Amino acid sequence: PYPVPQTPIVLTIGAGADTAVNASTAKFFTLILTKNTNLVFSNLLSGMTIDVILTQNATGGWITTSTGATIVGTINTTPNIYTWLRCCKVDTITLINVVANFTF
């Protein structure tokens, strides 16, 4: 429904293992997991959809949760595996769908 942005926004894992995803800055984000993290979305309006690519680092085993959202599917925690998440908001419900787990 929208063109893929030329450059993804690189997320970093914040204090307390929360990672803020500001939906007003882009529709495509990347995050390399170096510890367990909790995704927190801001400015995600009803009808918006964004993509997040998570990458497990060489250690792997990092768990991803999300406060205020429901994750549908299983995020692979194997080292160096990528997980594509599609996040959307319908009315007041934020859903995170695991689209695919993959390697390059």
Side-chain angles (χ1 to χ4, degrees):
Y2 53 81
V4 175
Q6 295 83 0
T7 306
I9 301 293
V10 178
L11 298 171
T12 56
I13 299 172
D18 280 352
T19 298
V21 182
N22 186 344
S24 67
T25 58
K27 292 185 173 76
F28 181 48
F29 300 87
T30 60
L31 173 63
I32 296 174
L33 295 174
T34 58
K35 62 181 177 179
N36 295 340
T37 190
N38 181 54
L39 297 176
V40 179
F41 292 91
S42 62
N43 300 313
L44 187 62
L45 303 175
S46 183
M48 287 179 72
T49 301
I50 61 173
D51 292 302
V52 180
I53 303 296
L54 301 178
T55 307
Q56 294 280 335
N57 70 357
T59 302
W62 307 117
I63 303 299
T64 301
T65 56
S66 183
T67 297
T70 301
I71 299 176
V72 180
T74 302
I75 296 172
N76 195 313
T77 59
T78 304
N80 300 314
I81 292 291
Y82 297 83
T83 299
W84 173 16
L85 305 177
R86 172 138 309 147
C87 311
C88 65
K89 189 165 188 175
V90 180
D91 293 323
T92 59
I93 300 170
T94 301
L95 296 173
I96 301 172
N97 183 44
V98 179
V99 178
N101 291 292
F102 59 95
T103 60
F104 276 115

